[in-house]
Each structure stands twice: as C-alpha cells, then as structure tokens.
C-alpha cells in the first residue's frame, strides 16, 4: 500500500489514537497525531486536485471525524470535519451516491451531518426531497425503516431554525400578524412531523413485533443509594433495533420540546388527523396511542434502552449511536435531577469503554423548549 495515501494515514491515526487512549500510552497517541497531520495535508491536496469528489476523500473525512471524537484536539475539531463532509457530499450531489460504496458512505454520514446542523441550529441540504429519494433509486430495498426515520430527523434542524426566528421576532418590533403567521406555519410543521413519527412507530411495531423485553438492571445505581434507578431495562433483539428505537425517542423528544413553545396546549395524539389503525402492543416499549406521548416517558425509555446498549458492546462501536439520545435526553432534564446525574455517570462509563471523549460532547445537541424538573 502506498504510504502516502491519505486514507491509510487517516486509518493509522485513528488506530494509534484509540489504542493509546485505551491503554494510556502517550507515545502511541502522539504517533497517531503524526499520522493525523499527514492525513490532513493529504486531504487538502486531494480536495484541490482530481480526487476532490472521490470516495477516498469522503472516507478520509469520515475517519478524521471519528479520530477527533477520540483525540479531542479541540471542542471544534469534530465540527470542522463534519462541516467539510457536508460540503463535499452536497457538492457531489445525490446521484453520485447511488453506487453501493458511495451509498454506504452517504448513509454513514447522514446522521452525523444532521447532528452538526442541529447543534448550530441551521438548515441542512438533507431536508430537501431529492436527498431523501435519489441516492436509493437504484437500490430501493436498501432503504430500510431506520433510513425513513432519518428522513424525519433530517427536517429537525430547519424546524429549530424556524423556531429560533419566531422567538427572535417575539422580542422585536415585528407586527403580531407576522409573528402569528410564522407561528402557525411552525405549528403546522410540528403536527405534520409528529404525525409522520407516530405513523412510522406504528408501522415499525407491525413489521418488528416482540423486539424488546424487560430484564433486571445491572449497570448503574442511582448514585444516591445502592439500588438501581430503573429496576428493569430493555433487552433488544439486536443492536440495530436498539439504535433505531433510541433515535425514534430522540426525534420525539425534540418535537415535543419544540411543541411546548409552538402549541397552545400540551400535545396529545388526538391533535393528529388521518392516522392509520393503532396496532396491538407486542412488547413493553411505549406505543403512541396506548401510552402517553410525553417527554418523561420518552426520556425514561432512552435511559432504559441505553443501559442494555452499553452492556451489549463495550467498545467504540457503541459510542456514536448513543451520544445523541444521551445528549437530548439530558437536555430535557433539570441538571440536579436523579436522572440527569445518572446520565452523566453513564457518559463516564461509555467514555471509559469506548475511548470517545463523551463528557466533553454532552452539548453536541440540544433543542429549545421547557425542561422537566424531575422524572
């Protein structure tokens, strides 16, 4: 293999950083930093030449993003790589992501780009219809239920941006009529996305029955006494399903928090017209229509899902899929609540087992809205 290849240097940087972090070997971490510097230089060269749109440039940028989550050279290190990744994918256009390798890279990058947009409360090109359809045109069977859930997720940054604009106008000299129109548009969008999300969850229940069961909690006590904060947790049929349910709850929490500002009264499922038939319950997870659609139950489900997800894979493979649910659930809680303290200690467990600087990333994403004082 050519020693000057950019992707090779990126992989070596990540490997040395991870090994050094897990085994507390500064020399190994420093060696990784050297390869990181070479990879950055190579990536800049690639982006200025014929390889600017290549899969190699995408792969390298994605690897360097993961490196920053482990090495954490600065609080903005991962952000700069995700911003670059987003620009590169947008410039390539949706049709350049239809072959199997490019589609896989696109699917791996999509949630990361959405999280970065959510952090900075800005719209993302991924909310546009072509980015929800064109990449899968040659292989529609690859677009599974988790990808359809990410279609809804992709709209959240733009909705947060619109909510911020409404709140800014509330304290400006804009007319009440203008503010009213913006709020009505936001309200309609929120209800439409809540409908989409509930219908997605009902369809997921029908096509994935009996996906979880309750088992005794074993990982963490509540920190104030020796008993578990949650006596039972959820054991999932597989990790992809666990990740999908946590993302569903994350999107639900974001929409419910925004609805506390945009809706005149607390959200109830009766506000949603044209819903399909409510499915039968097949597992102990919350099911809209049979359980309250509220912040507290969703936060609890995230917490009770996280424990099994952490125990199932004690490695860096666990880190990214749980970072966003953990951050959003934490942002919903009062910092001194038992549940918030429990989540912060869980972040420490993930950090120790994965090598990721989890506690430094707890502000990765938050959504405007009211906190709940305690579960």
């Amino acid at each position: 293999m050519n020693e000057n290849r950019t992707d090779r240097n990126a992989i070596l940087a990540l490997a040395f950083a991870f090994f050094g972090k897990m085994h507390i070997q500064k020399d190994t971490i420093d060696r990784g930093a050297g390869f990181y510097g070479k990879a950055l230089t190579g990536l800049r060269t690639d982006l200025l030449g014929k390889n600017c749109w290549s899969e190699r440039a995408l792969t390298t940028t994605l690897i360097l993003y993961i490196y920053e989550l482990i090495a954490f050279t600065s609080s903005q290190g991962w952000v700069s790589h995700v911003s670059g990744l987003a620009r590169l994918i947008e410039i390539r256009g949706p049709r350049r992501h239809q072959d199997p390798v490019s589609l896989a890279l696109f699917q791996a990058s999509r949630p990361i780009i959405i999280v970065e947009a959510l952090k900075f409360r800005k719209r993302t090109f991924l909310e546009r219809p072509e980015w929800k359809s064109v990449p899968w045109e040659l292989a529609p069977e690859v677009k599974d239920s988790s990808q359809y859930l990410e279609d809804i997720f992709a709209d959240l940054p733009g909705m947060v941006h619109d909510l911020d604009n409404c709140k800014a106008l509330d304290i400006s000299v804009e007319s009440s009529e203008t503010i009213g129109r913006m709020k009505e548009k936001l309200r309609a969008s929120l209800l439409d996305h809540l409908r989409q999300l509930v219908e997605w969850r009902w369809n997921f229940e029908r096509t994935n029955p009996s996906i979880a069961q309750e088992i005794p909690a074993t990982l963490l006590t509540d920190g104030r006494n020796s008993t578990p904060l949650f006596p039972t947790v959820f054991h999932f049929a597989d990790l992809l399903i666990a990740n999908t349910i946590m993302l569903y709850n994350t999107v639900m929490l974001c929409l419910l928090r925004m609805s506390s500002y945009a809706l005149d009264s607390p959200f109830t499922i009766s506000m949603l017209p044209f819903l399909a038939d409510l499915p039968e319950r097949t597992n102990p997870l919350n099911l809209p229509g049979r359980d309250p659609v509220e912040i507290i139950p969703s936060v609890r489900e995230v917490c009770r899902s996280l424990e099994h997800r952490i125990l199932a894979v004690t490695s860096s493979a666990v880190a990214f899929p749980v970072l966003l649910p953990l951050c959003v659930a934490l942002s919903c809680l009062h910092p001194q609540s038992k549940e918030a303290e429990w989540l912060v200690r869980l972040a420490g467990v993930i950090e120790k087992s994965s090598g990721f600087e989890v506690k430094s990333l707890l502000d990765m994403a938050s959504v405007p809205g009211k906190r709940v004082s305690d579960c």
Side-chain angles (χ1 to χ4, degrees):
M1 185 182 289
N2 184 345
E3 292 190 2
N4 292 320
R5 278 193 57 136
T6 307
D7 50 356
R8 175 183 184 275
N9 288 325
I11 291 169
L12 288 172
L14 177 58
F16 279 107
F18 176 73
F19 188 88
K21 188 78 172 289
M22 297 303 293
H23 296 279
I24 318 176
Q25 295 181 3
K26 186 178 182 303
D27 289 349
T28 304
I29 294 172
D30 290 344
R31 190 173 179 189
F35 283 111
Y36 177 70
K38 291 179 181 179
L40 276 180
T41 300
L43 181 59
R44 292 189 190 103
T45 301
D46 287 346
L47 293 177
L48 292 173
K50 63 181 181 180
N51 292 321
C52 61
W53 287 356
S54 67
E55 291 169 351
R56 189 172 86 182
L58 278 179
T59 303
T60 300
T61 308
L62 198 54
I63 294 170
L64 294 182
Y65 151 76
I66 300 171
Y67 170 90
E68 280 291 350
L69 292 184
I70 293 174
F72 208 74
T73 59
S74 75
S75 61
Q76 297 299 306
W78 71 272
V79 171
S80 63
H81 289 306
V82 178
S83 296
L85 185 66
R87 288 195 295 272
L88 186 56
I89 287 175
E90 185 176 14
I91 290 170
R92 282 168 54 98
R95 294 200 179 278
R96 279 197 172 89
H97 297 93
Q98 292 182 328
D99 69 86
V101 173
S102 291
L103 179 57
L105 287 169
F106 172 70
Q107 291 188 157
S109 302
R110 189 161 72 141
I112 300 166
I113 294 168
I114 298 168
V115 169
E116 190 265 347
L118 196 58
K119 176 180 175 63
F120 290 102
R121 308 161 92 90
K122 63 183 182 182
R123 311 198 83 90
T124 170
F125 65 94
L126 293 172
E127 71 179 8
R128 300 202 294 265
E130 63 268 28
W131 286 99
K132 298 178 181 181
S133 59
V134 174
W136 294 273
E137 282 181 347
L138 301 183
E141 72 283 357
V142 175
K143 191 168 186 181
D144 60 17
S145 56
S146 65
Q147 294 299 323
Y148 283 104
L149 178 58
E150 286 184 15
D151 285 350
I152 303 172
F153 183 37
D155 292 342
L156 291 189
M159 295 172 69
V160 172
H161 176 79
D162 292 342
L163 188 148
D164 285 343
N165 285 342
C166 284
K167 293 174 78 172
L169 288 175
D170 266 346
I171 58 174
S172 73
V173 296
E174 289 288 339
S175 71
S176 58
E177 184 179 346
T178 300
I179 297 170
R181 282 198 302 268
M182 291 185 68
K183 279 190 175 180
E184 182 55 38
K185 183 179 178 181
L186 178 61
R187 186 180 298 114
S189 179
L190 270 169
L191 290 174
D192 179 57
H193 283 80
L194 283 162
R195 177 190 58 77
Q196 291 179 49
L197 189 60
V198 168
E199 289 185 337
W200 178 92
R201 180 66 182 87
W202 286 1
N203 186 59
F204 194 75
E205 187 78 8
R206 293 188 188 95
T207 55
N208 298 273
S210 306
I211 56 175
Q213 59 182 322
E214 289 182 280
I215 61 172
T218 57
L219 181 58
L220 285 178
T221 63
D222 69 5
R224 300 179 184 180
N225 56 60
S226 59
T227 60
L229 180 60
F230 303 101
T232 61
V233 296
F234 296 124
H235 173 89
F236 289 90
D238 63 55
L239 296 179
L240 176 59
I241 285 177
N243 290 341
T244 302
I245 286 295
M246 285 194 293
L247 179 58
Y248 157 76
N249 278 298
T250 301
V251 176
M252 179 63 78
L253 284 170
C254 291
L255 292 174
L256 290 176
R257 287 200 74 192
M258 285 189 281
S259 73
S260 68
Y261 168 82
L263 301 183
D264 296 327
S265 58
F267 171 77
T268 64
I269 201 165
S270 63
M271 295 179 180
L272 304 179
F274 313 119
L275 286 174
D277 293 335
L278 174 62
E280 293 298 320
R281 185 193 299 280
T282 66
N283 56 69
L285 300 175
N286 294 331
L287 187 63
R290 299 198 182 276
D291 298 292
V293 182
E294 299 171 349
I295 288 177
I296 289 174
S298 294
V299 167
R300 284 177 173 165
E301 189 159 285
V302 167
C303 292
R304 296 175 68 199
S305 302
L306 279 169
E307 178 158 330
H308 171 256
R309 183 67 176 84
I310 301 324
L311 285 173
V313 183
T314 53
S315 73
S316 58
V318 78
F320 185 78
V322 304
L323 266 176
L324 180 65
L326 193 156
C327 293
V328 171
L330 192 59
S331 74
C332 293
L333 299 168
H334 190 280
Q336 276 71 54
S337 69
K338 291 185 298 182
E339 290 75 15
E341 292 176 357
W342 186 89
L343 284 168
V344 171
R345 291 194 303 117
L346 187 65
V349 173
I350 301 170
E351 187 169 302
K352 185 177 180 180
S353 67
S354 70
F356 282 35
E357 287 285 344
V358 177
K359 287 187 175 180
S360 300
L361 294 164
L362 290 181
D363 66 344
M364 175 178 276
S366 64
V367 175
K370 296 177 182 177
R371 292 178 183 268
V372 291
S373 59
D374 205 326
C375 289

